[in-house]
Amino acid sequence: MSEMPKCGKCGSEYTYEDRDMYVCPECGYEWPKAGLPESEEEQNEKVVRDAHGNVLEDGDSVTVIKDLKIKGSSQVVKVGTKVRNIRLVEGDHDIDCKIDGIGAMKLKSEFVKKA
């Protein structure tokens, strides 16, 4: 029997195979059987996806898919609002942008779709 590789994230030796992936039951990390990413930078690179699974990049335009109440205000970002020239940032709200008529905002990628 072949020996399973240790988890690349937490070092656990209790990994198991799931189709073409290895899975760590302790931390939930998954990686392809083909191998771990070559560099640490590649491993730490976060991919931001919209509500439909499309990869978002700096400078993209997105459309809001749900009415969003603005905390501390009576304003609402309406469904269908188009946001241009987004910037991706680290954190819970992963999109920085300016919305016409509202100003600077932070949005979650799960509430937008790529335009």
Side-chain angles (χ1 to χ4, degrees), residues 69-88:
K69 295 179 185 176
I70 300 174
K71 222 177 219 184
S73 172
S74 61
Q75 291 181 313
V76 175
V77 178
K78 294 285 189 178
V79 65
T81 301
K82 188 161 187 174
V83 181
R84 294 180 180 85
N85 198 18
I86 64 170
R87 288 181 312 278
L88 301 179

Side-chain angles (χ1 to χ4, degrees), residues 42-73:
E42 195 176 314
Q43 187 175 8
N44 292 334
E45 188 175 313
K46 183 180 176 190
V47 176
V48 178
R49 297 182 183 272
D50 69 359
H52 299 290
N54 299 317
V55 177
L56 296 174
E57 296 176 1
D58 285 340
D60 282 345
S61 294
V62 294
T63 305
V64 177
I65 62 168
K66 176 182 175 184
D67 282 348
L68 302 173
K69 295 179 185 176
I70 300 174
K71 222 177 219 184
S73 172

Side-chain angles (χ1 to χ4, degrees), residues 2-115:
S2 66
E3 193 171 311
M4 295 288 180
K6 290 187 176 182
C7 176
K9 196 170 192 181
C10 71
S12 172
E13 55 189 43
Y14 300 110
T15 58
Y16 62 90
E17 292 181 57
D18 185 22
R19 297 184 189 165
D20 60 342
M21 304 285 281
Y22 289 118
V23 180
C24 176
E26 292 185 11
C27 69
Y29 183 61
E30 298 179 357
W31 67 99
K33 285 184 183 178
L36 293 171
E38 279 76 40
S39 67
E40 189 138 331
E41 182 180 307
E42 195 176 314
Q43 187 175 8
N44 292 334
E45 188 175 313
K46 183 180 176 190
V47 176
V48 178
R49 297 182 183 272
D50 69 359
H52 299 290
N54 299 317
V55 177
L56 296 174
E57 296 176 1
D58 285 340
D60 282 345
S61 294
V62 294
T63 305
V64 177
I65 62 168
K66 176 182 175 184
D67 282 348
L68 302 173
K69 295 179 185 176
I70 300 174
K71 222 177 219 184
S73 172
S74 61
Q75 291 181 313
V76 175
V77 178
K78 294 285 189 178
V79 65
T81 301
K82 188 161 187 174
V83 181
R84 294 180 180 85
N85 198 18
I86 64 170
R87 288 181 312 278
L88 301 179
V89 295
E90 294 292 320
D92 186 32
H93 292 73
D94 41 17
I95 297 174
D96 257 349
C97 61
K98 283 186 182 175
I99 299 177
D100 293 337
I102 295 175
M105 294 263 323
K106 289 187 176 235
L107 299 173
K108 290 187 177 185
S109 59
E110 62 193 76
F111 298 120
V112 299
K113 69 177 181 179
K114 195 168 186 175

